Amino acid sequence: MYQRGIRGAVTIDENTQESIKSATIELITEIKQQNNIAPKDISHVIFTMTEDLNEVYPAKIAREEFKDWKYVPMMCFNEMNIRNSLEKCLRILIVINTQLEQKEIRHVYLKGAAKLREDLK
């Protein structure tokens, strides 16, 4: 058994609770589907958001929307403020216990965040 990280990101249209909620649910759902993740296999989840997003914690949304994640440890942080970096971006790192090899992990980059990892298409 290995611990593997699944990365993902999505851009968000506006700094509102509803926009952040919608994007968080979309990103997690897509990662779960592409990687067949079971909550029992998740070690922990780290969310980051750029400084221009501050209306709601994505971990709170995940806990409310994905009831089977009740015991999954989650933390939220601000993304580093790097000049000319992608704005209104939510990033996620889900660390799982799995038999999969690194190259079998499906990372998910949605909307404007797709340009962050064009090499993974």
Side-chain angles (χ1 to χ4, degrees):
M1 185 82 55
Y2 307 105
Q3 275 204 329
R4 301 283 189 220
I6 304 172
R7 285 294 322 271
V10 62
T11 50
I12 298 173
D13 295 331
E14 55 187 342
N15 183 30
T16 64
Q17 287 188 18
E18 189 52 44
S19 288
I20 295 169
K21 178 180 179 178
S22 176
T24 301
I25 293 168
E26 178 183 16
L27 181 59
I28 292 173
T29 300
E30 191 65 27
I31 290 173
K32 284 175 53 173
Q33 288 175 349
Q34 286 197 30
N35 291 280
N36 195 26
I37 298 173
K40 68 178 180 56
D41 297 329
I42 301 173
S43 169
H44 59 281
V45 179
I46 298 171
F47 296 93
T48 66
M49 291 195 304
T50 51
E51 290 182 343
D52 49 7
L53 297 172
N54 61 6
E55 286 297 316
V56 65
Y57 292 105
K60 180 179 187 291
I61 294 166
R63 240 183 290 297
E64 291 172 350
E65 296 298 318
F66 302 97
K67 302 294 187 199
D68 56 349
W69 284 32
K70 179 178 181 176
Y71 299 109
V72 173
M74 294 183 257
M75 293 287 296
C76 300
F77 299 94
N78 277 346
E79 186 72 27
M80 291 176 57
N81 187 16
I82 304 298
R83 184 179 25 235
N84 299 321
S85 63
L86 192 59
E87 296 178 353
K88 291 189 179 73
C89 188
L90 164 69
R91 292 172 172 87
I92 190 171
L93 172 64
I94 302 175
V95 180
I96 61 169
N97 299 303
T98 183
Q99 296 293 348
L100 295 176
E101 297 293 328
Q102 288 274 6
K103 64 184 177 185
E104 297 175 283
I105 299 294
R106 306 280 306 174
H107 305 282
V108 176
Y109 292 84
L110 303 174
K111 300 182 181 174
K115 70 181 182 180
L116 293 173
R117 291 301 307 265
E118 292 176 333
D119 60 311
L120 294 177
K121 289 182 182 177

